[in-house]
Structures are given as C-alpha cells and as structure tokens.
Amino acid sequence: MEAAKVKKESTRDGFGKALLELGAENKDVVALSADLTESVRIHWFKEKYPDRFVSHGVAEQDMMSAAAGLALTGKIPFACTFGAFASGRAWDQVRVSVAYMNLNVNIAGTHGGISVGEDGATHQAIEEIALMRIIPNMTVVVPADATEAFLATKQAVDIPGPVYLRLGRAAAHFLEGSDDFKIGKASIKRKGKDLTIVACGHLVYTALQAAQHLEKKGISAEIINLHTPKPIDRETLVSAAAKTGAVLTVEEHTVCGGIGSAVAEVLVQECPVPMKIMGIDDKFGISGSPEQLYAHFCLTEECIAEQAEILVKRKK
Amino acid sequence: MRNGQEIIELKKKAVKIRKQVLCMLQQAGSGHTGGSLSMVEILLSVYYGRINLDPARSVCPDRDWFVLSKGHGCPALYAVLADLGFFPEEELMTLRKMGSRLQGHPQRGLPGLEISSGSLGQGLSISVGIAIGNRMEKRCSRVYCLMGDGETNEGQVWEAAMTASHYKLRDLCAIIDYNKLQIDGFVCEVKDPGEIKKKWESFGWHVEEADGHDITDLDRAFDRALEVKDRPQIIIAHTVKGKGVSFIENKAEWHGIAPKKEELEKALEELTAIEKKIS
C-alpha cells in the first residue's frame, strides 16, 4: 500500500488553518467560542480577526442559538467546542435554532471519538454522528486527515444549510488522495474484490493497514472513506457492496446510529449483503492512551483484519 | 408620544386582536390561549409606530427584528402581522391546520416572521446573535425579544443574559410577559423567580417595569430603554394571563387549551362590552 506519508497532523489543526484562510477570503465568516479557543484551534482566527470572534464562555447552548442569530443577519458562523458538548449539550439548540431554520451555521466539534484519550468518557464524543445525522437539513462530515478537514471547512461555507464537522484531537496520518475531497462523495481509498471496509476518521488509516494484513491471507479488501455520513453517498456504497458482496464498517463511535447504521440503512434496502459493524459496543469510553483505547475497544488493524476474515466466510 | 386618539385606536386594536386570537384558537381546536391574550398590548406598543419593520421593508438590512421567544404565543403575533398586511387576514383561520403557514409554533417563512421558535429559552440567544451580527455590520437595527416569565426557568436565558451584558448590546431590548402563571401553576410556586428586577440588574441589564396592558406605560418604558446606550435593556411587563376574558383570566389551566364554541361566544361578548367602554 502506498498510502500514508509519515507526516501527521490533527484534523482540528486542518480546520483551524482553513478557518484562518477563510477569514481573509470571506469577511462574513465569524468564529464563536465556548471557552475552548485554543483547544478547538480557533485562536489563530481570533488573533487575526478579533472583531469577528465571539466569546460565549462556557455556554454551548447560548453559543449555538447565537450562531443562528448571526446567520440570520448574513454572517457565516463557526460554532466551536468539543463534540460531546456541541452535539450533546446543545442538541436542542442545533435542532430548533439552527437546523429547523436551515441556516448556514457550521459546527466544529473537536475531540471526537475515543482517541481523545485520557480525559475519559465525558469528553470522548462517541455519539455525535448519530445525534447530528438524525436532524433534518444537517450535513455531517468526518474528515480522515488534516487535508480533508481543511477542505471540508472551506466547502462547508458554501453549503447553505448547517454542517457538523467531527474533528479529532490526536494527530492523524495524511492519506493519499485527500486533495480530491468533496463533501458528499465517498472516496475509494483502495480497490478490492472480496469485501468492502467502510471507515471514517482516524480509522480509515487503520483500515488501510488492515487491508495489508488481509492481502497476506489472500483477501482483497476494498477501503471506502465515508467522510460524509450525511448526505450519504448511496451510489458508491451500493456498487461496492454489489461488487464485493460483504461490508464491514469501522468507526470511533457507538455502534448505535453511526456510520455502520447509516450504511446498513442504505444496503438493507438497496443491496443486502452480509455486514459487520465495528465500533464502541454500546458502552461509555474510559481513560487511557489512544492506543490503549483502540486496543480495548477492538479497533486496531489486527481486530479489523480478524473481523474481515470472519465476514468473508459468511459470504458462502 | 401617541395622542389620545391614537391610544383609543390601539385599545380598539387590542380588542380586535384578542377576538381574532380566540376565533383562531377555537377553529384550530387547540393552542395557547392564556399567554396569547396576555401579550397583546406588548405587541401593539412594539409593532405600531415603534419597530422599523413593515411589509415593504421586510428585507431591508437595517430593519429592526422581533423575536418571539415564547413561541406558543404565536396566535397573537399572527393576528398582528396580518393586521399590518404581511399576509391576508383570511389566512388566520388556517392556524394549526395541515398545509398552513401558521404552524402551531412559529416557523420561519411566514411573511413578517423570521425566527422559528417553540422550544423555550432560545430566543434571547438568537437575539444576541442578531444584535452582534448587526453591530459587526454597523447597522442601526434594534432587536426586540419577547419571553415568557416561566420561560426564564430555562438556564439558557441566563447564559444569553450574560453574553448580552458582556458585549454591552445596547440595541437589544427584551420583554418579559410577566403574567405570573405557567403550565403547572403560579410562577412563584413552580419555581420562585425571586426578585426579578434585581436579578436582571445584577446580570448587567437596564430594567424597566410597566403595566403590560397600558400602551402609554409600555411606550414610556420602551422610550426610556431606547435612551440607554451602554447595556441591554429588559421591560418587565406586568400582565394578566388570559387578559380580557373573565373566565380565562389568571387561570393556569387556560395555558394550553382553546375555547369551545360556546366559550368563544361568551368571550366575544365580553370583549365587545370592553370595546364599547373604550374612550
């Protein structure tokens, strides 16, 4: 596999750099903070455009509704906080103030997934994909590397309705082909014929590693980066499922309602094939290093390869 | 300052709006009667001669904004907007019906109505966002936000109160329809708000109190608020839930029900009697 360059960068960094550029490109772009300015990487924007930075303090609900107000006046707000709070604490505000009015509000939820690590369950957002994708009008994006995060941030501005960006804290490997990123268009990272592995976020890289293990065992895995859980790219998913006949999904998210569910919703109706959904098995996170947590929740390349092997056998 | 004749006209307008609200609710068979009737004069003081907002200017960037945070009171707002010509009055009777633009709680898209609401506590934050956005554009727009008293149970209201004073949003004027009742009963029994005026003052707001059914007194409060240049303002409007109909007034059970046909007839009779006494 020729993927990964050695260089790594977090998706929150990719977001923060794009926001800084947007500041110069579009005078209507504003950033809203809930006391996590540097953690969510909007300190660069704040430094350069202090007049377009709004500090709400630790008040995510207020921030989310105020973002709606700003959008009503023609501004393009980015409401930024940890994903656990953006999607959980302020869910009703996202639903009613933002999405019901279908406003151009962009929500940056950093610290997504268990790779947050030591902070533990309260700060590890593992429900946002579900919580956000069930809201009408919402676009949900999970960039796999900093390049995708950068491009997603730029593209979000041009989407008239709300966009939720799920961003990570830990550095992520740069992947080949991220420059072609387009919201809504799933990218095929590796061609294969025996099964399709659909992943998002940090685990796209892990899935690519798993594909190498599988190749040694004579299993050819296709890898799809489903960076946009909503609107979902039905065409790419259905044609992949039809071709390989088995689909394994992998995500740093509860198995209830995440990309596994989203993919299943498509395939069960349009191209039913054997499936396995890998993720956090209806449990809360715990403290630990990202690597320890990936191992604890069976989200390593070895685990993915093992589940893929079992799944391929189910095809017969 | 309105002259005597103008006040008489608005008093008659208040009766007309209340009658329409009751007819709409009876036709709909459900809805929020008490809180719609308590906010009528507040709407009149704002919408007639004060707010820079009319059907011809509804998309002007420097228009004023009105945010109905207590979305359940929308029948009264709908009646006012129709009276002002934002949409035909005949449409009022489609309230809550399938296909109507007059949704059970406000939905953006109805002419004159720019903010969807219904989940309490969000309107003041939305208003804060509007005020900040307008300030960034150096627009001379004022934002009015009408909340319920029970609504201030919501923590988000106080988050917004702090943000508004932190940013010294002088163009933001909130109003509390202080009718002293919420669904479960008296506000002071459900969760005692204590000294409301002191609370808002301590949050950095300029506070005015007014008789929420006296147009002249409301006008005075709004005028004084307008003079404040360094902080957001709030009008605590003392009102009567269900105002204008004896058997609806001050009854918590009338928060979320509509009058039946015979109740409507009796209510309309009472309002006609009130109208006859206007001078």
Side-chain angles (χ1 to χ4, degrees):
Chain A
M1 183 195 71
E2 74 276 303
K5 303 165 197 168
V6 185
K7 208 182 147 204
K8 291 167 85 175
E9 191 177 25
S10 69
T11 52
R12 64 174 169 165
D13 280 333
F15 156 74
K17 288 176 181 176
L19 190 68
L20 182 65
E21 276 196 20
L22 279 170
E25 292 165 13
N26 191 327
K27 70 169 185 58
D28 287 327
V29 169
V30 297
L32 282 64
S33 175
D35 201 33
L36 292 167
T37 302
E38 187 172 341
S39 296
V40 301
R41 294 297 187 259
I42 55 176
H43 55 308
W44 300 312
F45 182 95
K46 179 192 178 188
E47 202 172 304
K48 191 145 189 204
Y49 307 103
D51 296 341
R52 287 193 262 150
F53 176 86
V54 186
S55 170
H56 284 272
V58 194
E60 296 80 10
Q61 302 173 28
D62 179 48
M63 173 176 73
M64 208 58 77
S65 295
L70 279 153
L72 284 163
T73 68
K75 296 291 164 194
I76 304 171
F78 280 81
C80 315
T81 181
F82 289 179
F85 314 135
S87 68
R89 184 62 169 261
W91 189 84
D92 188 45
Q93 286 72 17
V94 174
R95 175 175 181 262
V96 178
S97 293
V98 173
Y100 186 38
M101 289 199 271
N102 201 14
L103 299 169
N104 189 354
V105 170
N106 304 289
I107 303 163
T110 67
H111 294 57
I114 49 168
S115 52
V116 168
E118 292 77 359
D119 274 350
T122 56
H123 286 54
Q124 295 163 352
I126 55 170
E127 305 91 354
E128 336 94 286
I129 298 173
L131 287 170
M132 291 295 109
R133 79 182 183 90
I134 57 173
I135 301 177
N137 297 331
M138 185 63 77
T139 294
V140 183
V141 185
V142 187
D145 67 10
T147 305
E148 287 198 345
F150 183 91
L151 294 171
T153 305
K154 290 286 191 85
Q155 292 170 20
V157 168
D158 296 320
I159 294 174
V163 176
Y164 184 90
L165 300 171
R166 186 207 213 199
L167 303 163
R169 172 176 178 266
H173 289 271
F174 280 100
L175 305 176
E176 292 289 334
S178 290
D179 294 334
D180 298 328
F181 173 88
K182 178 136 188 12
I183 290 178
K185 181 68 193 149
S187 53
I188 298 168
K189 289 291 183 192
R190 187 185 200 275
K191 295 268 185 195
K193 58 182 176 48
D194 296 326
L195 91 158
T196 302
I197 302 178
V198 180
C200 68
H202 292 173
L203 295 180
V204 175
Y205 175 80
T206 316
L208 285 164
Q209 298 295 103
Q212 291 185 320
H213 291 277
L214 290 164
E215 196 169 275
K216 287 177 196 148
K217 297 193 168 183
I219 295 171
S220 158
E222 177 142 310
I223 309 291
I224 292 179
N225 171 13
L226 187 66
H227 51 65
T228 310
K230 187 183 178 183
I232 199 161
D233 183 351
R234 312 178 85 87
E235 202 185 321
T236 299
L237 292 170
V238 169
S239 78
K243 183 176 81 174
T244 64
V247 173
L248 173 67
T249 64
V250 188
E251 60 197 306
E252 256 187 79
H253 187 276
T254 167
V255 292
C256 311
I259 66 163
S261 302
V263 169
E265 285 160 16
V266 172
L267 296 184
V268 78
Q269 298 177 82
E270 297 182 30
C271 183
V273 294
M275 266 191 82
K276 169 71 186 176
I277 296 173
M278 293 180 74
I280 318 293
D281 195 12
D282 199 18
K283 289 184 169 64
F284 284 107
I286 51 172
S287 289
S289 71
E291 293 70 26
Q292 287 172 323
L293 292 172
Y294 282 136
H296 178 79
F297 288 108
C298 297
L299 292 169
T300 59
E301 54 197 67
E302 293 80 10
C303 294
I304 295 170
E306 190 184 319
Q307 290 300 325
E309 218 176 326
I310 296 168
L311 181 63
V312 168
K313 286 186 189 142
R314 279 175 55 201
K315 283 168 70 176
K316 286 150 197 152
Chain B
M1 176 112 174
R2 302 176 210 265
N3 64 34
Q5 190 55 39
E6 286 167 336
I7 295 292
I8 288 173
E9 290 304 318
L10 281 185
K11 283 182 179 173
K12 287 180 180 166
K13 190 82 84 186
V15 173
K16 176 194 163 183
I17 300 294
R18 286 199 167 89
K19 283 183 170 179
Q20 282 179 324
V21 163
L22 290 160
C23 291
M24 289 158 70
L25 287 166
Q26 188 275 323
Q27 188 73 32
S30 65
H32 299 84
T33 303
S36 298
L37 294 176
S38 64
M39 61 190 254
V40 173
E41 282 82 5
I42 297 168
L43 291 178
L44 295 181
S45 178
V46 172
Y47 268 95
Y48 295 76
R50 179 171 304 281
I51 197 167
N52 175 18
L53 186 66
D54 60 58
R57 295 176 45 80
S58 60
V59 291
C60 278
D62 62 347
R63 69 188 179 281
D64 290 340
W65 294 72
F66 185 84
V67 176
L68 182 64
S69 193
K70 49 168 288 189
H72 56 278
C74 60
L77 179 61
Y78 294 156
V80 164
L81 292 175
D83 184 71
L84 287 165
F86 280 97
F87 57 87
E89 283 200 340
E90 304 81 72
E91 211 171 326
L92 289 176
M93 298 310 281
T94 67
L95 174 71
R96 289 179 166 245
K97 304 262 193 242
M98 275 291 288
S100 174
R101 297 192 289 182
L102 280 61
Q103 291 287 293
H105 289 84
Q107 185 184 20
R108 178 174 156 77
L110 178 72
L113 198 150
E114 299 193 85
I115 287 94
S116 302
S117 59
S119 180
L120 294 173
Q122 302 188 21
L124 193 60
S125 295
I126 292 173
S127 303
V128 163
I130 294 171
I132 292 174
N134 283 333
R135 176 191 283 181
M136 286 175 179
E137 289 297 310
K138 300 186 169 54
R139 295 175 186 138
C140 303
S141 300
R142 207 157 157 72
V143 189
Y144 295 92
C145 175
L146 177 56
M147 293 182 285
D149 46 8
E151 181 177 4
T152 63
N153 293 167
E154 291 281 6
Q156 189 185 354
V157 169
W158 302 97
E159 293 182 3
M162 282 188 268
T163 307
S165 61
H166 176 73
Y167 281 100
K168 300 182 169 53
L169 298 177
R170 54 182 263 188
D171 293 322
L172 173 59
C173 181
I175 308 111
I176 292 185
D177 178 4
Y178 193 16
N179 61 33
K180 326 289 189 292
L181 286 169
Q182 57 194 104
I183 299 179
D184 274 2
F186 290 105
V187 166
C188 59
E189 286 174 8
V190 176
K191 189 157 78 176
D192 192 348
E195 298 192 59
I196 296 186
K197 186 168 190 281
K198 282 188 184 163
K199 271 207 172 90
W200 284 92
E201 280 171 347
S202 74
F203 273 72
W205 288 58
H206 174 88
V207 183
E208 291 285 336
E209 288 192 77
D211 177 341
H213 298 302
D214 182 334
I215 298 279
T216 308
D217 202 36
L218 282 166
D219 283 348
R220 176 200 54 79
F222 279 116
D223 287 344
R224 285 184 54 142
L226 192 57
E227 287 166 20
V228 176
K229 303 298 183 198
D230 63 345
R231 61 187 64 197
Q233 315 93 44
I234 187 159
I235 318 281
I236 299 170
H238 293 271
T239 57
V240 173
K241 195 151 183 162
K243 175 72 177 177
V245 183
S246 62
F247 56 92
I248 301 177
E249 282 187 3
N250 289 318
K251 295 213 164 55
E253 56 269 33
W254 273 95
H255 172 92
I257 57 167
K260 296 182 185 70
K261 195 132 202 312
E262 54 278 20
E263 289 167 330
L264 173 67
E265 279 164 21
K266 195 159 170 265
L268 293 178
E269 273 173 35
E270 288 190 18
L271 286 165
T272 301
I274 290 171
E275 192 174 15
K276 282 181 181 156
K277 285 185 204 155
I278 293 173
S279 58

